[in-house]
């Protein structure tokens, strides 16, 4: 099968099947062999690896993955793409295509079935409308993962890697950095896709921490505190936590905890590091 990273081959297959792009599924197919090679290299894929690909589209990246990995499991929601994948991946016997919504799939069970519960790698040119639920779902459901190498909106990639003091720092930065080490691998302009997206894109690799960067007694409480702080970004931490319907601490408990951390009473949530949110959570969790 011809390399679909070449735009001519992509256009040919789309015309052959009279494929109609569906905006609601975030369909922007990659047509740049350099970017495809970079993604495979950044993910560090070897024949020992089992790779989960989210949204294979017409199979452009799947072909590269099939060449370099031991096994590829590709989950695609759009049933109109399934016959196309049947043709474009016909020569590979190490690829399984599953026609499902990734948000409904038990990925832990997939890792068990296809990789005996050993850590998998996740590679995707993500549908941008569900980037956050996909990434958070992968981390929070304790799927055994080595790394996640994904194409996302440039602005979202920036948010994932920022720390306190940046305007892009927020709940997503803290959640990603709690679980993984983020690194931007490539910036990708709109002309590398058919059709062209309205935004710039970036490939980011999230390497799962072997040991967590902070110890926190109740991570779920820490994430409720983080969400409350950034929901009302321009308020003080004290007010943000006070006003949150997700929390029920008294004003005095919150003020006391902020003081015990050695922070000014009027500090904003966006000034706190992950370690400080963990400490705040442990203090408030003491009751
Ligand atoms: N991997 C292909 C490529 O790089 O050319 C296509 C990437 S395109 C940005 C995103 C793909 O994800 C599309 O094929 C789309 O149909 C699929 N998709 C969208 N929502 C999905 C979902 N909930 N579950 C699985 N696949 C989904």
């Amino acid at each position: 099968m011809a390399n679909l990273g070449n735009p001519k081959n992509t256009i040919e297959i789309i015309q052959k099947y009279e494929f109609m792009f569906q905006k609601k599924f975030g369909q922007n197919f990659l047509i740049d062999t350099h970017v495809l090679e970079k993604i495979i290299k950044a993910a560090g894929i070897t024949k020992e690896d089992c790779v989960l690909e989210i949204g294979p589209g017409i199979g452009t990246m799947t072909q590269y993955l099939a060449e370099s990995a031991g096994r590829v499991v590709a989950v695609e929601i759009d049933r109109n793409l399934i016959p196309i994948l049947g043709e474009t991946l016909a020569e590979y016997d190490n690829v399984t295509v599953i026609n499902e919504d990734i948000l409904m799939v038990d990925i832990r069970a997939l890792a068990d079935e296809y990789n005996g519960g050993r850590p998998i790698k996740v590679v995707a040119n993500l549908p941008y409308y569900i980037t956050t639920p996909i990434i958070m779902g992968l981390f929070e459901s304790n799927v055994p993962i080595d790394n996640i190498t994904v194409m996302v909106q440039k602005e979202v990639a920036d948010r994932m890697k920022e720390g306190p003091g940046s305007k892009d720092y927020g709940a997503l930065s803290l959640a990603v950095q709690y679980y993984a080490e983020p690194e931007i691998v490539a910036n990708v302009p709109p002309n590398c896709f058919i059709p062209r997206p309205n935004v710039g894109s970036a490939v980011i690799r999230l390497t799962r921490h072997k040991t967590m960067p902070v110890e926190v007694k109740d991570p779920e409480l820490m994430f409720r505190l983080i969400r409350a702080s950034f929901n009302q970004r321009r308020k003080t931490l004290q007010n943000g936590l006070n006003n949150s319907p997700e929390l029920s601490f008294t004003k005095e408990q919150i003020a006391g905890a902020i003081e015990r951390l050695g922070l000014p009473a009027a500090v904003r949530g966006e000034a706190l590091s992950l370690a400080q949110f963990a400490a705040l959570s442990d203090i408030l969790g003491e009751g």
Side-chain angles (χ1 to χ4, degrees), residues 217 221 249 253 256-261 276-287:
K217 291 198 185 81
L221 170 60
F249 299 109
Q253 279 175 312
I258 293 173
E259 199 183 334
R260 264 179 72 188
L261 280 176
Q276 286 171 316
F277 273 112
L280 180 68
S281 169
D282 283 354
I283 294 171
L284 286 169
E286 279 169 9

Side-chain angles (χ1 to χ4, degrees), residues 4 10 19 22 24-31 36 39 53-62 74-79 81 85 98-105 123-130 134 151 192-194:
L4 297 163
T10 283
F19 176 73
Q22 298 226 47
K24 67 169 178 184
F25 289 145
Q27 290 174 339
N28 301 96
F29 298 162
L30 252 172
I31 44 158
L36 286 154
I39 294 173
E53 186 189 8
I54 298 163
I58 56 172
T60 313
M61 189 140 64
T62 327
V75 178
E76 173 56 60
I77 197 169
D78 186 352
R79 68 185 153 85
L81 289 166
L85 290 165
I98 299 174
N99 183 201
E100 285 264 16
D101 176 349
I102 190 66
L103 297 178
M104 307 302 282
V105 170
V123 178
N125 170 14
L126 284 178
Y128 293 170
Y129 74 108
I130 42 170
I134 290 177
M151 178 88 70
C192 293
F193 303 87
I194 290 181

Side-chain angles (χ1 to χ4, degrees), residues 205-235:
R205 180 181 56 216
L206 310 174
T207 307
R208 181 131 200 173
H209 294 304
K210 296 247 172 345
T211 47
M212 296 312 250
V214 296
E215 273 190 31
V216 57
K217 291 198 185 81
D218 181 356
E220 205 261 328
L221 170 60
M222 179 177 75
F223 282 115
R224 270 190 283 144
L225 295 170
I226 289 172
R227 277 196 299 273
S229 313
F230 287 97
N231 267 346
Q232 299 188 310
R233 210 184 163 99
R234 301 171 76 189
K235 293 229 157 88

